[in-house]
Amino acid sequence: MTLPEKSQPPAEQNTADQPPADQGTAEQGTAEQGTAEQNTADQPTMAQLAEGYASKAGLHRSGNGNIDVLKSAGGIQGIAESILPGLVFLIAFTITRELPPALISSLAAAAAFTVARLVQRKPLTQALAGIVGVGLSAWIANSTGKAEDFYVLGFFTNIAYILAMSLSIAFRWPFAGLLFGFIRNEGLEWRKHPARVKAYQIGTWVIVSVLVLRLLVQVPLYFMGEQGLAGLATTRLLMGAPLYVLGVWVAWLLTRPAR
């Protein structure tokens, strides 16, 4: 006679078939942690955001963390793009004493840089901004018939920057802080510290002083007419991008956080 096999109670059998509650929770937590780590890895870091912001602003850092002055000015090609159209205009007008050939030569120089960037497959932002500026300057000079009016657009650009930066200081959102704060990974935390706000206000005044200095030197030369044209063109070249970047570099040094 064979005895029937003893079966396990239903409750025990169901319990054996299911994973322990603690194990399931642990696996779920591990999965959620992995998802969180993946999302964190996919998000750009503050350093990457700062680097992108600095590049768009035209500022670049060297390996030691300071501003790379030459690269911030656009490199050799960028400096040439900002200098040569005005220089070509001056040389052509000095030789011919005629406005149309000088304007055409200046526009041709700006267009040549745009073509060069297309061939090199480099960003066109700086070159296009340059050719638009040269085109507007040429239009103003051609409309008035005065060679010195080729440089008058720069005066209004400087005045606009001076007003904007002065307002940023008055409202405690100094331009230098908005620019350097992201580059230094401070974000907007510097606004919570009065000492940092004051430092960035001073840095912004340094940049403003560069723009004011341009007007103080160049406006009197502009009102001298053609007699001051050579001096106006020369100071425009010397006090253009190179002097501006130098002012930004000094502002960077003055606004360094205390160690």
Side-chain angles (χ1 to χ4, degrees):
M1 180 176 178
T2 305
L3 295 176
E5 294 182 358
K6 206 171 190 179
S7 60
Q8 294 180 350
E12 295 180 357
Q13 185 176 0
N14 293 339
T15 303
D17 293 339
Q18 295 178 354
D22 293 342
Q23 181 180 354
T25 304
E27 292 176 353
Q28 183 179 1
T30 303
E32 292 176 353
Q33 183 180 359
T35 304
E37 292 177 352
Q38 183 178 0
N39 292 337
T40 302
D42 293 339
Q43 294 176 353
T45 63
M46 191 63 182
Q48 292 172 334
L49 292 174
E51 187 68 25
Y53 187 88
S55 298
K56 291 179 181 178
L59 296 179
H60 300 270
R61 285 189 296 183
S62 57
N64 59 6
N66 293 323
I67 289 182
D68 189 329
V69 177
L70 180 61
K71 194 173 181 180
S72 297
I76 300 299
Q77 183 173 348
I79 294 175
E81 289 173 357
S82 64
I83 289 178
L84 282 184
L87 181 60
V88 168
F89 170 82
L90 175 63
I91 294 174
F93 185 79
T94 302
I95 294 173
T96 65
R97 307 306 297 180
E98 295 288 338
L99 192 55
L103 296 176
I104 293 173
S105 300
S106 179
L107 285 169
F113 284 116
T114 304
V115 173
R117 282 186 173 265
L118 282 173
V119 173
Q120 298 168 352
R121 296 184 179 181
K122 290 183 177 181
L124 295 176
T125 305
Q126 185 171 355
L128 290 177
I131 196 171
V132 169
V134 172
L136 288 174
S137 299
W139 176 78
I140 294 172
N142 187 61
S143 299
T144 62
K146 297 179 179 179
E148 61 270 22
D149 283 345
F150 182 80
Y151 300 98
V152 76
L153 182 63
F155 298 151
F156 293 101
T157 304
N158 272 273
I159 292 172
Y161 277 120
I162 290 170
L163 292 176
M165 292 186 187
S166 299
L167 287 175
S168 75
I169 295 172
F171 288 104
R172 298 181 63 80
W173 285 87
F175 171 79
L178 296 175
L179 186 61
F180 298 152
F182 283 95
I183 299 176
R184 288 178 169 137
N185 296 334
E186 291 178 293
L188 295 176
E189 289 296 315
W190 56 268
R191 297 198 71 248
K192 300 178 182 179
H193 307 283
R196 298 297 297 140
V197 174
K198 184 177 181 180
Y200 281 131
Q201 286 177 326
I202 294 174
T204 305
W205 280 126
V206 170
I207 301 174
V208 170
S209 65
V210 170
L211 303 178
V212 171
L213 182 61
R214 287 178 179 174
L215 296 178
L216 292 176
V217 173
Q218 296 173 12
V219 170
L221 294 172
Y222 167 79
F223 283 110
M224 292 175 62
E226 288 191 12
Q227 294 180 354
L229 181 61
L232 176 58
T234 303
T235 55
R236 177 63 62 89
L237 298 178
L238 297 176
M239 304 179 74
L243 181 62
Y244 177 77
V245 173
L246 178 61
V248 170
W249 180 67
V250 173
W252 170 272
L253 296 179
L254 291 177
T255 58
R256 285 181 298 182
R259 293 187 180 275

